[in-house]
Amino acid sequence: MKTNGEAKWILKSRIDSTSYTNACDRIQVLAETQTSSYIIAANVHVVMTGVWQSEYQKIINEATLVTPDGMPLVWVMRQLGSNSQSRVYGPDLMLAWCERAAEKNLPIYLYGGTEDMLKKLTENLNQKFPTLEIAGFYSPPFRPLTPEEEQQDCDRINASGAPVVFVALGCPKQEQWMARQQGRINAVMIGVGAAFSFHSGEVKQSPRWMMQLGLEWLYRFCVEPRRLWRRYLINNPIFILLVSQQLLKHKFQRQKQA
């Protein structure tokens, strides 16, 4: 376990109490020391994947930082005692770090997505942050990589000199990839899921009011029902059931201790 701050355990997955500023401060320390590490932005899908796959849950709990990416996790953390916890959303964390990176002259690397998406993304980031240095980007094949291909990717990233790598391969692939590269890539890796799709303009984000109400899943389900139906119509109800049991147990323990 590699957390420095307060953390809450949601269905056996560690979620850290943090903020955008705190997360960027920690990323900066890791980047400036070129510490090989990885950060996960966790939502219900991430936590439930951990429920189904013990090896994946281990990857979550061994991350340097796990942010509460989804509002349901924020609400549960508040119920567990982190009263002031707010959402630390992967796509917004990416922009927050890009702003910090531009100020501190710390290059970034982009790994994932399609070639067209990466070209649009770099254009948009350069327009938004003119002094941001994008040291490189790469779109890996949409299939399992051979050990030789994976090593070539590591060598390519290390050669770029970027101390921060944004990884957008989707859950659970991106977390598994980052865990495998720890110790091989001399940078902090940050899994940001659909951030490349959003910031390139290829996929529209849900309205902010829906995000605040925890309804982003509904918007995304309506946009991509074939891809996301299993995630939301199976995982979400089971998450509610399991987390309700956890909160009831927590409440009874507190009453017993009072």
Side-chain angles (χ1 to χ4, degrees):
M1 189 186 309
K2 302 177 181 179
T3 181
N4 293 324
E6 182 186 359
K8 298 300 178 184
W9 294 84
I10 300 178
L11 304 184
K12 297 184 180 180
S13 287
R14 193 196 88 234
I15 312 296
D16 296 313
S17 296
T18 186
S19 64
Y20 290 109
T21 300
N22 174 262
C24 285
D25 288 344
R26 295 178 66 174
I27 294 168
Q28 184 174 338
V29 171
L30 294 167
E32 290 176 341
T33 56
Q34 291 189 307
T35 302
S36 184
S37 52
Y38 63 94
I39 291 172
I40 295 173
N43 54 20
V44 170
H45 181 44
V46 168
V47 170
M48 288 305 298
T49 303
V51 170
W52 308 131
Q53 303 175 22
S54 59
E55 284 301 313
Y56 182 78
Q57 191 161 68
K58 183 179 178 183
I59 289 172
I60 298 171
N61 295 336
E62 290 184 349
T64 298
L65 179 66
V66 185
T67 75
D69 173 272
M71 282 306 299
L73 299 191
V74 172
W75 295 330
V76 174
M77 291 181 74
R78 290 173 183 172
Q79 290 294 314
L80 294 174
S82 294
N83 299 327
S84 60
Q85 182 60 53
S86 57
R87 187 183 192 190
V88 182
Y89 177 50
D92 285 354
L93 177 60
M94 180 177 176
L95 295 182
W97 175 253
C98 285
E99 182 176 12
R100 177 79 65 93
E103 294 172 357
K104 302 297 181 180
N105 297 315
L106 292 168
I108 66 167
Y109 193 97
L110 305 170
Y111 185 85
T114 65
E115 289 188 11
D116 286 343
M117 181 187 295
L118 287 170
K119 289 177 182 177
K120 294 174 184 175
L121 176 61
T122 55
E123 289 174 4
N124 291 346
L125 290 177
N126 284 327
Q127 185 174 10
K128 190 173 185 67
F129 308 104
T131 60
L132 175 67
E133 181 182 349
I134 300 175
F137 57 82
Y138 184 69
S139 171
F142 287 89
R143 57 167 172 76
L145 301 179
T146 66
E148 292 76 18
E149 288 174 325
E150 205 161 89
Q151 185 59 53
Q152 288 171 3
D153 289 353
C154 290
D155 293 343
R156 186 182 297 110
I157 292 169
N158 286 333
S160 76
V164 174
V165 182
F166 286 109
V167 183
L169 302 174
C171 168
K173 186 178 178 182
Q174 69 189 13
E175 290 77 28
Q176 293 166 338
W177 185 88
M178 292 190 297
R180 287 197 305 274
Q181 311 321 321
Q182 188 170 23
R184 301 171 68 192
I185 289 178
N186 304 320
V188 52
M189 298 164 277
I190 308 173
V192 291
F196 286 15
S197 299
F198 295 151
H199 298 324
S200 67
E202 288 201 359
V203 176
K204 189 176 180 181
Q205 291 191 71
S206 67
R208 288 285 164 169
W209 67 267
M210 293 189 77
M211 292 185 186
Q212 292 168 357
L213 293 175
L215 295 175
E216 183 180 6
W217 69 270
L218 180 59
Y219 178 89
R220 294 191 65 190
F221 173 67
C222 292
V223 172
E224 301 180 272
R226 288 188 177 183
R227 186 175 73 86
L228 299 176
W229 74 269
R230 187 182 301 275
R231 177 189 302 189
Y232 294 135
L233 298 187
I234 295 178
N235 272 358
N236 284 16
I238 297 176
F239 172 82
I240 292 170
L241 175 63
L242 293 178
V243 100
S244 296
Q245 294 173 343
Q246 179 182 342
L247 291 176
L248 280 173
K249 184 178 180 180
H250 175 73
K251 181 179 179 181
F252 289 144
Q253 287 176 339
R254 291 186 62 186
Q255 290 176 344
K256 188 176 180 179
Q257 293 170 357

